[in-house]
Amino acid sequence: MMTERTLAIIKPDAVERKLIGNILSRIEESGLDIIALRTASLSKEEAEGFYNVHAHRPFFDSLTSYMSSGPVVLAVLEGDNVISKWRQLMGATDPKEAEEGTIRRDLAVDKEKNSVHGSDSPESVAFEIPYFFNGL
Ligand code: GDP
Ligand code: MG
């Protein structure tokens, strides 16, 4: 067992469809602790900086336009193996490939508008949490 933190984002498609409560409930029901939480409206530049690892991908411009198209919810989650647990709760990137009962399978629109983000490794966490939460 290892207590970790991870960054979760409720993306614009989910905020627009009033799914904040639904998604936060799933996090709480799964036993993960929410230790920081705020709304934000990302600029295109902030979204580009956050997704810098994907800068060379064909979908980068579309992704960062979408992520700056409306409000998001930013959260820091904490718990044993929370990086992997939150990724499991989210489901696969493409909702069509995500397992039943996952957030993306149940709620997402498509592979881009897939409702939630989760850090994929301790290295990503070390970049992503301070990117949005000063001092965490
Ligand atoms: P994640 O870790 O499961 O969120 O997926 P990735 O890190 O691979 O991609 C980051 C985000 O880019 C995804 O969550 C999607 O919003 C978007 N994305 C990934 N793959 C594609 C794609 O093939 N096309 C488009 N339009 N967006 C994508
Ligand atoms: Mg990723």
Side-chain angles (χ1 to χ4, degrees):
M1 290 214 296
M2 190 156 98
T3 299
E4 295 175 330
R5 289 177 177 178
T6 196
L7 182 79
I9 305 179
I10 303 177
K11 295 183 177 184
D13 72 89
V15 174
E16 184 179 18
R17 288 178 294 136
K18 310 290 189 202
L19 295 170
I20 296 172
N22 181 318
I23 292 169
L24 293 180
S25 288
R26 290 172 189 243
I27 291 170
E28 292 192 320
E29 283 161 12
S30 70
L32 307 178
D33 292 328
I34 299 166
I35 63 158
L37 184 70
R38 69 182 174 91
T39 57
S41 292
L42 307 186
S43 66
K44 182 78 155 65
E45 292 69 28
E46 281 177 302
E48 287 169 355
F50 179 75
Y51 278 119
N52 186 47
V53 292
H54 293 312
H56 59 289
R57 301 285 188 95
F59 57 82
F60 183 66
D61 186 59
S62 175
L63 169 64
T64 54
S65 294
Y66 154 60
M67 288 298 290
S68 55
S69 67
V72 298
V73 174
L74 305 168
V76 177
L77 311 183
E78 188 174 83
D80 292 326
N81 297 310
V82 73
I83 298 174
S84 145
K85 283 183 181 168
W86 172 232
R87 298 278 309 185
Q88 278 177 263
L89 205 59
M90 287 168 43
T93 307
D94 186 341
K96 293 200 288 289
E97 289 163 17
E99 280 183 49
E100 297 230 16
T102 62
I103 291 168
R104 283 166 165 174
R105 174 67 170 264
D106 291 351
L107 305 176
V109 177
D110 58 33
K111 191 174 184 182
E112 180 172 270
K113 296 177 175 55
N114 59 5
S115 300
V116 281
H117 167 82
S119 311
D120 65 5
S121 65
E123 294 70 33
S124 301
V125 170
F127 171 74
E128 292 181 359
I129 291 180
Y131 192 86
F132 288 124
F133 291 92
N134 257 332
L136 276 183

PDB file of all heavy atoms in Angstrom, residues 21-48:
ATOM      1  N   GLY A  21     -21.628  16.837  -9.781  1.00  0.00           N
ATOM      2  CA  GLY A  21     -22.055  16.091  -8.586  1.00  0.00           C
ATOM      3  C   GLY A  21     -21.952  14.592  -8.799  1.00  0.00           C
ATOM      4  O   GLY A  21     -21.487  13.854  -7.910  1.00  0.00           O
ATOM      5  N   ASN A  22     -22.403  14.127  -9.951  1.00  0.00           N
ATOM      6  CA  ASN A  22     -22.324  12.705 -10.286  1.00  0.00           C
ATOM      7  C   ASN A  22     -20.887  12.199 -10.166  1.00  0.00           C
ATOM      8  O   ASN A  22     -20.616  11.167  -9.530  1.00  0.00           O
ATOM      9  CB  ASN A  22     -22.865  12.533 -11.719  1.00  0.00           C
ATOM     10  CG  ASN A  22     -22.875  11.097 -12.192  1.00  0.00           C
ATOM     11  OD1 ASN A  22     -21.922  10.356 -11.960  1.00  0.00           O
ATOM     12  ND2 ASN A  22     -23.935  10.697 -12.879  1.00  0.00           N
ATOM     13  N   ILE A  23     -19.955  12.943 -10.760  1.00  0.00           N
ATOM     14  CA  ILE A  23     -18.559  12.483 -10.788  1.00  0.00           C
ATOM     15  C   ILE A  23     -17.919  12.582  -9.405  1.00  0.00           C
ATOM     16  O   ILE A  23     -17.215  11.662  -8.976  1.00  0.00           O
ATOM     17  CB  ILE A  23     -17.772  13.256 -11.872  1.00  0.00           C
ATOM     18  CG1 ILE A  23     -18.304  12.847 -13.254  1.00  0.00           C
ATOM     19  CG2 ILE A  23     -16.271  13.003 -11.750  1.00  0.00           C
ATOM     20  CD1 ILE A  23     -17.820  13.718 -14.410  1.00  0.00           C
ATOM     21  N   LEU A  24     -18.175  13.678  -8.682  1.00  0.00           N
ATOM     22  CA  LEU A  24     -17.619  13.780  -7.317  1.00  0.00           C
ATOM     23  C   LEU A  24     -18.193  12.693  -6.417  1.00  0.00           C
ATOM     24  O   LEU A  24     -17.491  12.147  -5.560  1.00  0.00           O
ATOM     25  CB  LEU A  24     -17.877  15.174  -6.729  1.00  0.00           C
ATOM     26  CG  LEU A  24     -17.133  16.345  -7.393  1.00  0.00           C
ATOM     27  CD1 LEU A  24     -17.486  17.662  -6.687  1.00  0.00           C
ATOM     28  CD2 LEU A  24     -15.610  16.143  -7.377  1.00  0.00           C
ATOM     29  N   SER A  25     -19.471  12.329  -6.610  1.00  0.00           N
ATOM     30  CA  SER A  25     -20.062  11.239  -5.822  1.00  0.00           C
ATOM     31  C   SER A  25     -19.342   9.924  -6.076  1.00  0.00           C
ATOM     32  O   SER A  25     -19.090   9.151  -5.144  1.00  0.00           O
ATOM     33  CB  SER A  25     -21.539  11.053  -6.165  1.00  0.00           C
ATOM     34  OG  SER A  25     -22.289  12.118  -5.646  1.00  0.00           O
ATOM     35  N   ARG A  26     -19.025   9.656  -7.335  1.00  0.00           N
ATOM     36  CA  ARG A  26     -18.312   8.409  -7.647  1.00  0.00           C
ATOM     37  C   ARG A  26     -16.952   8.381  -6.961  1.00  0.00           C
ATOM     38  O   ARG A  26     -16.509   7.328  -6.483  1.00  0.00           O
ATOM     39  CB  ARG A  26     -18.132   8.266  -9.164  1.00  0.00           C
ATOM     40  CG  ARG A  26     -19.435   7.997  -9.911  1.00  0.00           C
ATOM     41  CD  ARG A  26     -19.203   8.054 -11.408  1.00  0.00           C
ATOM     42  NE  ARG A  26     -20.458   8.022 -12.154  1.00  0.00           N
ATOM     43  CZ  ARG A  26     -20.809   7.039 -13.002  1.00  0.00           C
ATOM     44  NH1 ARG A  26     -20.006   6.019 -13.215  1.00  0.00           N
ATOM     45  NH2 ARG A  26     -21.958   7.087 -13.645  1.00  0.00           N
ATOM     46  N   ILE A  27     -16.281   9.542  -6.918  1.00  0.00           N
ATOM     47  CA  ILE A  27     -14.981   9.616  -6.248  1.00  0.00           C
ATOM     48  C   ILE A  27     -15.147   9.330  -4.762  1.00  0.00           C
ATOM     49  O   ILE A  27     -14.423   8.514  -4.176  1.00  0.00           O
ATOM     50  CB  ILE A  27     -14.340  11.006  -6.478  1.00  0.00           C
ATOM     51  CG1 ILE A  27     -13.936  11.157  -7.953  1.00  0.00           C
ATOM     52  CG2 ILE A  27     -13.144  11.217  -5.554  1.00  0.00           C
ATOM     53  CD1 ILE A  27     -13.512  12.578  -8.349  1.00  0.00           C
ATOM     54  N   GLU A  28     -16.134   9.976  -4.135  1.00  0.00           N
ATOM     55  CA  GLU A  28     -16.342   9.777  -2.697  1.00  0.00           C
ATOM     56  C   GLU A  28     -16.770   8.347  -2.387  1.00  0.00           C
ATOM     57  O   GLU A  28     -16.280   7.739  -1.428  1.00  0.00           O
ATOM     58  CB  GLU A  28     -17.386  10.770  -2.178  1.00  0.00           C
ATOM     59  CG  GLU A  28     -16.878  12.199  -2.210  1.00  0.00           C
ATOM     60  CD  GLU A  28     -17.773  13.152  -1.436  1.00  0.00           C
ATOM     61  OE1 GLU A  28     -19.010  13.012  -1.508  1.00  0.00           O
ATOM     62  OE2 GLU A  28     -17.231  14.034  -0.770  1.00  0.00           O
ATOM     63  N   GLU A  29     -17.683   7.813  -3.214  1.00  0.00           N
ATOM     64  CA  GLU A  29     -18.175   6.443  -2.960  1.00  0.00           C
ATOM     65  C   GLU A  29     -17.071   5.412  -3.117  1.00  0.00           C
ATOM     66  O   GLU A  29     -17.145   4.336  -2.531  1.00  0.00           O
ATOM     67  CB  GLU A  29     -19.354   6.131  -3.887  1.00  0.00           C
ATOM     68  CG  GLU A  29     -20.643   6.799  -3.415  1.00  0.00           C
ATOM     69  CD  GLU A  29     -21.704   6.891  -4.516  1.00  0.00           C
ATOM     70  OE1 GLU A  29     -21.540   6.238  -5.570  1.00  0.00           O
ATOM     71  OE2 GLU A  29     -22.682   7.633  -4.303  1.00  0.00           O
ATOM     72  N   SER A  30     -16.053   5.733  -3.911  1.00  0.00           N
ATOM     73  CA  SER A  30     -14.962   4.780  -4.090  1.00  0.00           C
ATOM     74  C   SER A  30     -13.909   4.904  -2.990  1.00  0.00           C
ATOM     75  O   SER A  30     -12.915   4.179  -2.998  1.00  0.00           O
ATOM     76  CB  SER A  30     -14.323   4.962  -5.459  1.00  0.00           C
ATOM     77  OG  SER A  30     -13.626   6.180  -5.480  1.00  0.00           O
ATOM     78  N   GLY A  31     -14.129   5.824  -2.053  1.00  0.00           N
ATOM     79  CA  GLY A  31     -13.259   5.894  -0.881  1.00  0.00           C
ATOM     80  C   GLY A  31     -12.040   6.782  -1.050  1.00  0.00           C
ATOM     81  O   GLY A  31     -11.195   6.847  -0.155  1.00  0.00           O
ATOM     82  N   LEU A  32     -11.935   7.460  -2.183  1.00  0.00           N
ATOM     83  CA  LEU A  32     -10.797   8.365  -2.388  1.00  0.00           C
ATOM     84  C   LEU A  32     -11.080   9.691  -1.684  1.00  0.00           C
ATOM     85  O   LEU A  32     -12.222  10.140  -1.636  1.00  0.00           O
ATOM     86  CB  LEU A  32     -10.567   8.595  -3.882  1.00  0.00           C
ATOM     87  CG  LEU A  32     -10.431   7.324  -4.727  1.00  0.00           C
ATOM     88  CD1 LEU A  32     -10.248   7.676  -6.195  1.00  0.00           C
ATOM     89  CD2 LEU A  32      -9.285   6.463  -4.226  1.00  0.00           C
ATOM     90  N   ASP A  33     -10.033  10.298  -1.145  1.00  0.00           N
ATOM     91  CA  ASP A  33     -10.196  11.589  -0.459  1.00  0.00           C
ATOM     92  C   ASP A  33      -9.944  12.733  -1.425  1.00  0.00           C
ATOM     93  O   ASP A  33      -8.944  12.737  -2.148  1.00  0.00           O
ATOM     94  CB  ASP A  33      -9.203  11.697   0.703  1.00  0.00           C
ATOM     95  CG  ASP A  33      -9.525  10.718   1.818  1.00  0.00           C
ATOM     96  OD1 ASP A  33     -10.722  10.419   2.015  1.00  0.00           O
ATOM     97  OD2 ASP A  33      -8.581  10.250   2.482  1.00  0.00           O
ATOM     98  N   ILE A  34     -10.840  13.729  -1.418  1.00  0.00           N
ATOM     99  CA  ILE A  34     -10.644  14.964  -2.184  1.00  0.00           C
ATOM    100  C   ILE A  34      -9.987  15.963  -1.238  1.00  0.00           C
ATOM    101  O   ILE A  34     -10.604  16.405  -0.273  1.00  0.00           O
ATOM    102  CB  ILE A  34     -11.994  15.508  -2.697  1.00  0.00           C
ATOM    103  CG1 ILE A  34     -12.672  14.484  -3.620  1.00  0.00           C
ATOM    104  CG2 ILE A  34     -11.787  16.849  -3.418  1.00  0.00           C
ATOM    105  CD1 ILE A  34     -14.144  14.783  -3.914  1.00  0.00           C
ATOM    106  N   ILE A  35      -8.716  16.303  -1.505  1.00  0.00           N
ATOM    107  CA  ILE A  35      -7.998  17.179  -0.561  1.00  0.00           C
ATOM    108  C   ILE A  35      -7.847  18.606  -1.085  1.00  0.00           C
ATOM    109  O   ILE A  35      -7.418  19.481  -0.344  1.00  0.00           O
ATOM    110  CB  ILE A  35      -6.622  16.605  -0.159  1.00  0.00           C
ATOM    111  CG1 ILE A  35      -5.681  16.502  -1.366  1.00  0.00           C
ATOM    112  CG2 ILE A  35      -6.784  15.229   0.508  1.00  0.00           C
ATOM    113  CD1 ILE A  35      -4.222  16.457  -0.943  1.00  0.00           C
ATOM    114  N   ALA A  36      -8.191  18.839  -2.340  1.00  0.00           N
ATOM    115  CA  ALA A  36      -8.230  20.202  -2.891  1.00  0.00           C
ATOM    116  C   ALA A  36      -9.213  20.185  -4.051  1.00  0.00           C
ATOM    117  O   ALA A  36      -9.313  19.191  -4.765  1.00  0.00           O
ATOM    118  CB  ALA A  36      -6.842  20.641  -3.366  1.00  0.00           C
ATOM    119  N   LEU A  37      -9.934  21.306  -4.220  1.00  0.00           N
ATOM    120  CA  LEU A  37     -11.006  21.332  -5.221  1.00  0.00           C
ATOM    121  C   LEU A  37     -11.306  22.779  -5.606  1.00  0.00           C
ATOM    122  O   LEU A  37     -11.479  23.625  -4.739  1.00  0.00           O
ATOM    123  CB  LEU A  37     -12.262  20.712  -4.600  1.00  0.00           C
ATOM    124  CG  LEU A  37     -13.501  20.531  -5.475  1.00  0.00           C
ATOM    125  CD1 LEU A  37     -13.272  19.453  -6.519  1.00  0.00           C
ATOM    126  CD2 LEU A  37     -14.698  20.137  -4.605  1.00  0.00           C
ATOM    127  N   ARG A  38     -11.342  23.059  -6.910  1.00  0.00           N
ATOM    128  CA  ARG A  38     -11.754  24.388  -7.354  1.00  0.00           C
ATOM    129  C   ARG A  38     -12.214  24.338  -8.810  1.00  0.00           C
ATOM    130  O   ARG A  38     -11.834  23.441  -9.557  1.00  0.00           O
ATOM    131  CB  ARG A  38     -10.638  25.423  -7.203  1.00  0.00           C
ATOM    132  CG  ARG A  38      -9.452  25.255  -8.140  1.00  0.00           C
ATOM    133  CD  ARG A  38      -8.394  26.320  -7.835  1.00  0.00           C
ATOM    134  NE  ARG A  38      -7.176  26.150  -8.599  1.00  0.00           N
ATOM    135  CZ  ARG A  38      -6.936  26.704  -9.786  1.00  0.00           C
ATOM    136  NH1 ARG A  38      -7.837  27.495 -10.348  1.00  0.00           N
ATOM    137  NH2 ARG A  38      -5.798  26.508 -10.420  1.00  0.00           N
ATOM    138  N   THR A  39     -13.012  25.327  -9.198  1.00  0.00           N
ATOM    139  CA  THR A  39     -13.350  25.476 -10.607  1.00  0.00           C
ATOM    140  C   THR A  39     -12.310  26.394 -11.253  1.00  0.00           C
ATOM    141  O   THR A  39     -11.625  27.163 -10.573  1.00  0.00           O
ATOM    142  CB  THR A  39     -14.743  26.092 -10.799  1.00  0.00           C
ATOM    143  OG1 THR A  39     -14.785  27.352 -10.124  1.00  0.00           O
ATOM    144  CG2 THR A  39     -15.829  25.187 -10.248  1.00  0.00           C
ATOM    145  N   ALA A  40     -12.213  26.303 -12.579  1.00  0.00           N
ATOM    146  CA  ALA A  40     -11.309  27.176 -13.326  1.00  0.00           C
ATOM    147  C   ALA A  40     -11.794  27.248 -14.764  1.00  0.00           C
ATOM    148  O   ALA A  40     -12.505  26.356 -15.231  1.00  0.00           O
ATOM    149  CB  ALA A  40      -9.885  26.622 -13.292  1.00  0.00           C
ATOM    150  N   SER A  41     -11.415  28.327 -15.440  1.00  0.00           N
ATOM    151  CA  SER A  41     -11.619  28.423 -16.881  1.00  0.00           C
ATOM    152  C   SER A  41     -10.237  28.581 -17.495  1.00  0.00           C
ATOM    153  O   SER A  41      -9.583  29.614 -17.331  1.00  0.00           O
ATOM    154  CB  SER A  41     -12.492  29.631 -17.231  1.00  0.00           C
ATOM    155  OG  SER A  41     -13.810  29.420 -16.750  1.00  0.00           O
ATOM    156  N   LEU A  42      -9.768  27.539 -18.156  1.00  0.00           N
ATOM    157  CA  LEU A  42      -8.405  27.541 -18.676  1.00  0.00           C
ATOM    158  C   LEU A  42      -8.318  28.383 -19.943  1.00  0.00           C
ATOM    159  O   LEU A  42      -9.198  28.318 -20.808  1.00  0.00           O
ATOM    160  CB  LEU A  42      -7.956  26.115 -19.009  1.00  0.00           C
ATOM    161  CG  LEU A  42      -8.091  25.061 -17.905  1.00  0.00           C
ATOM    162  CD1 LEU A  42      -7.467  23.748 -18.364  1.00  0.00           C
ATOM    163  CD2 LEU A  42      -7.462  25.535 -16.605  1.00  0.00           C
ATOM    164  N   SER A  43      -7.245  29.149 -20.056  1.00  0.00           N
ATOM    165  CA  SER A  43      -6.956  29.807 -21.335  1.00  0.00           C
ATOM    166  C   SER A  43      -6.398  28.746 -22.280  1.00  0.00           C
ATOM    167  O   SER A  43      -5.962  27.667 -21.850  1.00  0.00           O
ATOM    168  CB  SER A  43      -5.935  30.926 -21.136  1.00  0.00           C
ATOM    169  OG  SER A  43      -4.685  30.370 -20.754  1.00  0.00           O
ATOM    170  N   LYS A  44      -6.373  29.076 -23.567  1.00  0.00           N
ATOM    171  CA  LYS A  44      -5.774  28.154 -24.544  1.00  0.00           C
ATOM    172  C   LYS A  44      -4.319  27.872 -24.164  1.00  0.00           C
ATOM    173  O   LYS A  44      -3.866  26.723 -24.218  1.00  0.00           O
ATOM    174  CB  LYS A  44      -5.867  28.783 -25.942  1.00  0.00           C
ATOM    175  CG  LYS A  44      -5.331  27.926 -27.085  1.00  0.00           C
ATOM    176  CD  LYS A  44      -6.316  26.853 -27.471  1.00  0.00           C
ATOM    177  CE  LYS A  44      -6.171  26.353 -28.915  1.00  0.00           C
ATOM    178  NZ  LYS A  44      -4.924  25.660 -29.217  1.00  0.00           N
ATOM    179  N   GLU A  45      -3.595  28.914 -23.723  1.00  0.00           N
ATOM    180  CA  GLU A  45      -2.185  28.763 -23.359  1.00  0.00           C
ATOM    181  C   GLU A  45      -2.011  27.862 -22.139  1.00  0.00           C
ATOM    182  O   GLU A  45      -1.093  27.045 -22.091  1.00  0.00           O
ATOM    183  CB  GLU A  45      -1.557  30.136 -23.082  1.00  0.00           C
ATOM    184  CG  GLU A  45      -1.422  31.038 -24.298  1.00  0.00           C
ATOM    185  CD  GLU A  45      -2.755  31.563 -24.853  1.00  0.00           C
ATOM    186  OE1 GLU A  45      -3.741  31.717 -24.090  1.00  0.00           O
ATOM    187  OE2 GLU A  45      -2.825  31.801 -26.073  1.00  0.00           O
ATOM    188  N   GLU A  46      -2.893  28.008 -21.148  1.00  0.00           N
ATOM    189  CA  GLU A  46      -2.816  27.118 -19.971  1.00  0.00           C
ATOM    190  C   GLU A  46      -3.070  25.669 -20.361  1.00  0.00           C
ATOM    191  O   GLU A  46      -2.411  24.748 -19.852  1.00  0.00           O
ATOM    192  CB  GLU A  46      -3.851  27.534 -18.918  1.00  0.00           C
ATOM    193  CG  GLU A  46      -3.469  28.709 -18.063  1.00  0.00           C
ATOM    194  CD  GLU A  46      -4.597  29.078 -17.104  1.00  0.00           C
ATOM    195  OE1 GLU A  46      -5.714  29.378 -17.568  1.00  0.00           O
ATOM    196  OE2 GLU A  46      -4.345  29.031 -15.888  1.00  0.00           O
ATOM    197  N   ALA A  47      -4.047  25.467 -21.241  1.00  0.00           N
ATOM    198  CA  ALA A  47      -4.346  24.101 -21.688  1.00  0.00           C
ATOM    199  C   ALA A  47      -3.169  23.534 -22.479  1.00  0.00           C
ATOM    200  O   ALA A  47      -2.805  22.360 -22.327  1.00  0.00           O
ATOM    201  CB  ALA A  47      -5.617  24.096 -22.535  1.00  0.00           C
ATOM    202  N   GLU A  48      -2.544  24.373 -23.313  1.00  0.00           N
ATOM    203  CA  GLU A  48      -1.384  23.923 -24.098  1.00  0.00           C
ATOM    204  C   GLU A  48      -0.212  23.555 -23.180  1.00  0.00           C
ATOM    205  O   GLU A  48       0.470  22.559 -23.416  1.00  0.00           O
ATOM    206  CB  GLU A  48      -0.957  25.015 -25.080  1.00  0.00           C
ATOM    207  CG  GLU A  48      -1.925  25.166 -26.250  1.00  0.00           C
ATOM    208  CD  GLU A  48      -1.672  26.408 -27.104  1.00  0.00           C
ATOM    209  OE1 GLU A  48      -0.797  27.224 -26.739  1.00  0.00           O
ATOM    210  OE2 GLU A  48      -2.372  26.550 -28.119  1.00  0.00           O
TER     211      GLU A  48
END
